[in-house]
Structure formats: C-alpha cells, structure tokens
Amino acid sequence: MQLYNTLSAIERAALIEEAGKERLTISFYTYAHIGNTNIFRNHLFINWNEMDVLGRIYVAHEGINAQLSVPAENFNVFKEHLDSISFLENVRLNIAIEQDNLSFLKLKVKVRNKIVADGLEDNSFDVTNKGIHVGAEQFNELIEDPDTVLVDMRNHYESEIGHFKNAITPDVDTFRDSLDIIERDLADHKKDKKLVMYCTGGIRCEKASAYYKHKGFEQVYQLEGGIIEYTRQVENNNLENKFKGKNFVFDHRRGERISDDVIANCHQCGEPCDEHVNCANEACHLLFIQCKSCAEKMNNCCSDKCKEVHELPFEEQKALRKGKVVSNKIFKKGRSEVLKFKK
C-alpha cells in the first residue's frame, strides 16, 4: 500500500504540464480532537493520493492544518470526502486568489505535535475561549476606530510585502515571538483598546486570540478566514480594499497580489520590488526579495559567494555540501548580512 510520494517534484511538474488540466489551490484548518493521528494521516494520504491531491498537511491531536492543490475536476469528490469526516464537514475552504497549477508538487501529510508551531503551553489557558470573528465589512469599520489596535500576526518577511494600513507589523521570525512583544507593548491598554488581529488564513489568530484573552485583554477580535477570505469578500461585496501589496503564501507561488501597491524593495539594489525568491545555491536557499535585474546579474543568488558556488559543476557543489547539516533551521528567511537593502 502506497503511503508516501514516489515521484520527484520535477517528475510531478512534468505530468501536470502534460495533463493541461486546471488545479485549485486551497487551504483550511480546524481544531478537533484526533485520537490516533497516524491512522488518520494514512487515511488522508490513501484517499487524497487517488484524487491527485498535492500539498502540505499537518495532523496533530489538536486538529489539522492543510494547504493543498486539487484538480478542479476532482473538487466535488474531494469535498465529499471532507464532509464524510465529522469534524471536517462544511469546514471553510480558503480558495487562493491567484491560481497556479504548480503551487504544490508533492503530497506530504505529516504528523506533528501541533498544527501551528506556536511554542505555547496549551494547558495553561482555554484554547476554545477565542476572540470575536469578524468579516471584511466589520473589519474595515473596526480598523478605522481610534480605539482599535490592529496587529499583523505574521512574520517579518510576510508583512514586508503586504499588510493592512496602520497595522503594527512586529519584526519577528516566529509567531511565538510576536505574542510577547504585543502583550508587552499593549500592557496598559488591556481594557480600553480593541485588539484586532489578522494573519494569512486565520489559524494563527485562533490560538493568539485565546492567549490574549487569557492574558487579560477584554476586547479581542480576529479577521475571519484571514487575508484570503477578506479579499474574496471585498471582491464579492464591492467593499473598499484596505490591504496594500501582496499576501505571502507558503507554496511555490510565494505570494498573491491583493493590490497594485509595491511596498517592499529589492534586498540587493533597493529598487521597488516584492518578488520573493530562494537563493539558487542549494547550500544556502535563503529567502529574500530580488528584482529581475539583480536576478540576472547575480544568477539568482543572494551573494557573490553563493554565485560562485552555484556556477560550479553540479558534482563539485554536492561535494561542498557533503557532511553539512541542511535543514530549515539554518535557512534564515529574509535575514542576512549580504542583503544590503533589507528594511
């Protein structure tokens, strides 16, 4: 029985291109009690692999967090399967604003301790005592209220390319870091200010809102469905769009444009730009913002040193990497001394 991928990303991309069929990029999450996470993980993989679903799915005892791509022609079958699972019936699906058939190239269903790495001890507070969910129209009204403090719960490299006007955008590398910063900065306003939060799809705000209520904040709100659902409601209901720039996404697209504003700059030359790339040197893989001119000049690398390595024969590059630990822990997103124009 197949429980893991057998095709490489390159092989999968070729098959998708050859098929020429439209795919939908979707995300969803829910908090629920899952007893045997391994059995549930295998159940999802077996069924979704048959539907040609691709993506990154985290399963934990506390629930599921999924970002995936499904063939448009299989969407109804996929939805029926979700509805057959009691805690996923009628779960809200965030449909991507900008579609890309190559947004995901492998199906990865992983068992984790948590569906979001928040660094919190959940036993210390009631995670179900969440903030008030608001849609786009009420959110627009709230953020114009002088008694509102609007907080972006995403990381620095996400908010750098797009955020709501007047939002506090903590310069943090992790979700956990922002929790303490916000609590400290707003310590004197737990009763008199409305704390309004947003993130990409809503999942980070679920836990954050409960955490801040536990910490004594009395007026806590969160944007229902995050930036993705906000954009859909703005378009469908002809509302004013108060988000500027791009929404960073965690797939091969790296971002989807919400407004025409370009609020970031190339990290190498300083020109206006909001295109995230990964350094072409596989031993580096740094995430940073690079314009087309610098991409051509630097051969898609973040520094002259990486450029030199990337231009070596492939076998020499492999030899240089041999014995070195390569993991996401050493891939610093958007932070490096070589990035002269990082804000």
Side-chain angles (χ1 to χ4, degrees):
M1 183 180 296
Q2 182 183 338
L3 294 174
Y4 299 93
N5 289 285
T6 58
L7 295 176
S8 69
I10 294 175
E11 291 170 328
R12 177 68 70 177
L15 287 177
I16 293 174
E17 295 283 13
E18 182 181 345
K21 296 181 179 179
E22 292 301 312
R23 301 181 66 91
L24 298 175
T25 302
I26 299 169
S27 62
F28 69 87
Y29 69 88
T30 192
Y31 283 96
H33 177 69
I34 300 176
N36 192 317
T37 52
N38 286 309
I39 289 178
F40 183 61
R41 178 265 171 208
N42 292 343
H43 172 75
L44 293 182
F45 189 95
I46 291 169
N47 283 274
W48 291 359
N49 189 52
E50 291 182 355
M51 301 175 203
D52 197 21
V53 172
L54 304 171
R56 185 188 308 110
I57 299 92
Y58 296 140
V59 172
H61 289 298
E62 67 176 5
I64 179 173
N65 179 13
Q67 301 169 65
L68 50 85
S69 166
V70 60
E73 63 183 15
N74 292 345
F75 176 78
N76 289 337
V77 176
F78 174 74
K79 182 64 168 65
E80 288 173 5
H81 182 256
L82 286 182
D83 289 341
S84 72
I85 302 170
S86 59
F87 57 85
L88 292 179
E89 185 176 8
N90 295 321
V91 67
R92 186 190 64 248
L93 301 178
N94 283 331
I95 310 296
I97 306 303
E98 296 179 351
Q99 294 295 336
D100 185 334
N101 288 345
L102 303 179
S103 58
F104 291 100
L105 298 174
K106 293 185 178 182
L107 176 57
K108 297 181 180 180
V109 187
K110 298 185 177 183
V111 174
R112 290 284 188 261
N113 291 327
K114 292 187 175 186
I115 57 177
V116 173
D118 53 35
L120 295 173
E121 292 295 332
D122 293 353
N123 294 333
S124 65
F125 65 100
D126 182 2
V127 296
T128 66
N129 184 25
K130 298 174 289 190
I132 300 171
H133 289 229
V134 296
E137 185 172 7
Q138 187 178 356
F139 180 83
N140 279 355
E141 295 173 357
L142 271 172
I143 65 177
E144 295 299 334
D145 186 334
D147 289 327
T148 288
V149 177
L150 178 62
V151 180
D152 191 322
M153 297 305 299
R154 302 172 302 155
N155 300 326
H156 72 92
Y157 56 90
E158 299 173 80
S159 60
E160 183 176 8
I161 62 171
H163 53 75
F164 285 100
K165 73 171 189 176
N166 300 326
I168 295 173
T169 56
D171 185 24
V172 296
D173 293 311
T174 69
F175 169 65
R176 183 65 182 88
D177 292 339
S178 65
L179 294 176
D180 292 335
I181 291 174
I182 296 304
E183 184 189 1
R184 181 193 66 214
D185 291 350
L186 301 180
D188 296 331
H189 300 288
K190 292 184 177 182
K191 297 183 183 296
D192 65 327
K193 294 291 186 181
K194 299 181 181 72
L195 176 57
V196 181
M197 298 174 290
Y198 69 89
C199 57
T200 306
I203 188 170
R204 283 175 275 191
C205 293
E206 290 285 307
K207 191 69 71 71
S209 65
Y211 176 80
Y212 284 129
K213 290 184 72 174
H214 168 70
K215 289 294 185 177
F217 287 87
E218 296 184 355
Q219 303 178 75
V220 181
Y221 300 82
Q222 63 190 86
L223 178 59
E224 173 74 22
I227 300 164
I228 298 173
E229 175 63 12
Y230 172 87
T231 305
R232 188 190 68 80
Q233 291 183 20
V234 164
E235 292 179 351
N236 290 348
N237 301 320
N238 196 29
L239 302 174
E240 180 184 358
N241 175 28
K242 295 182 180 290
F243 188 92
K244 305 300 181 185
K246 294 174 70 174
N247 178 30
F248 185 94
V249 293
F250 294 88
D251 57 54
H252 289 283
R253 296 172 298 154
R254 298 190 184 92
E256 49 187 13
R257 186 159 299 286
I258 309 301
S259 80
D260 293 332
D261 305 273
V262 177
I263 67 171
N265 58 270
C266 174
H267 287 163
Q268 293 178 314
C269 71
E271 287 299 305
C273 179
D274 55 12
E275 294 293 326
H276 273 108
V277 299
N278 287 107
C279 179
N281 176 13
E282 289 296 328
C284 174
H285 212 251
L286 177 73
L287 180 76
F288 68 108
I289 298 174
Q290 185 181 53
C291 69
K292 291 181 179 179
S293 176
C294 287
E296 182 177 355
K297 175 183 176 182
M298 298 298 296
N299 198 8
N300 301 306
C301 292
C302 70
S303 65
D304 289 329
K305 182 178 180 180
C306 281
K307 183 172 179 284
E308 291 174 4
V309 172
H310 181 54
E311 291 172 350
L312 292 173
F314 180 69
E315 291 302 321
E316 288 188 37
Q317 292 185 48
K318 284 180 63 178
L320 287 174
R321 297 198 299 268
K322 188 176 181 179
K324 295 183 179 180
V325 177
V326 178
S327 76
N328 287 332
K329 293 181 180 179
I330 66 170
F331 292 163
K332 296 294 287 182
K333 295 182 173 65
R335 294 195 195 277
S336 173
E337 293 180 357
V338 303
L339 302 178
K340 298 179 181 178
F341 291 90
K342 171 70 174 77
K343 290 181 179 180

